[in-house]
Amino acid sequence: MSALARPRDGRWIGGVCAGLARRFGISANTMRAIFVVSCLLPGPQFLIYLALWVLLPNDKTSASGTAGW
């Protein structure tokens, strides 16, 4: 398993679902679907997403080779 970080490539909004998917070895679209379905249930899912967006570091590597951005 890789470290928990928001990747610079493959992110839609904040990269939280892509980072969690990479960490647990599933596709990013599957993680996004799980998140959307979980939002239909009562609970603080959206607040947890926002907290992870703020707390998770950006991934240090970049697929395009522009690590300075």
Side-chain angles (χ1 to χ4, degrees):
M1 288 188 188
S2 63
L4 189 55
R6 295 182 299 122
R8 293 184 183 270
D9 57 330
R11 55 167 70 172
W12 279 11
I13 298 174
V16 174
C17 288
L20 290 172
R22 183 181 291 175
R23 173 72 167 97
F24 294 111
I26 61 175
S27 93
N29 287 331
T30 302
M31 183 60 74
R32 291 176 183 121
I34 290 170
F35 174 73
V36 168
V37 170
S38 76
C39 284
L40 299 175
L41 302 171
Q45 293 87 338
F46 188 71
L47 294 176
I48 292 171
Y49 184 91
L50 291 176
L52 288 173
W53 190 354
V54 170
L55 296 175
L56 287 180
N58 279 323
D59 195 7
K60 299 289 188 233
T61 60
S62 174
S64 63
T66 57
W69 287 97

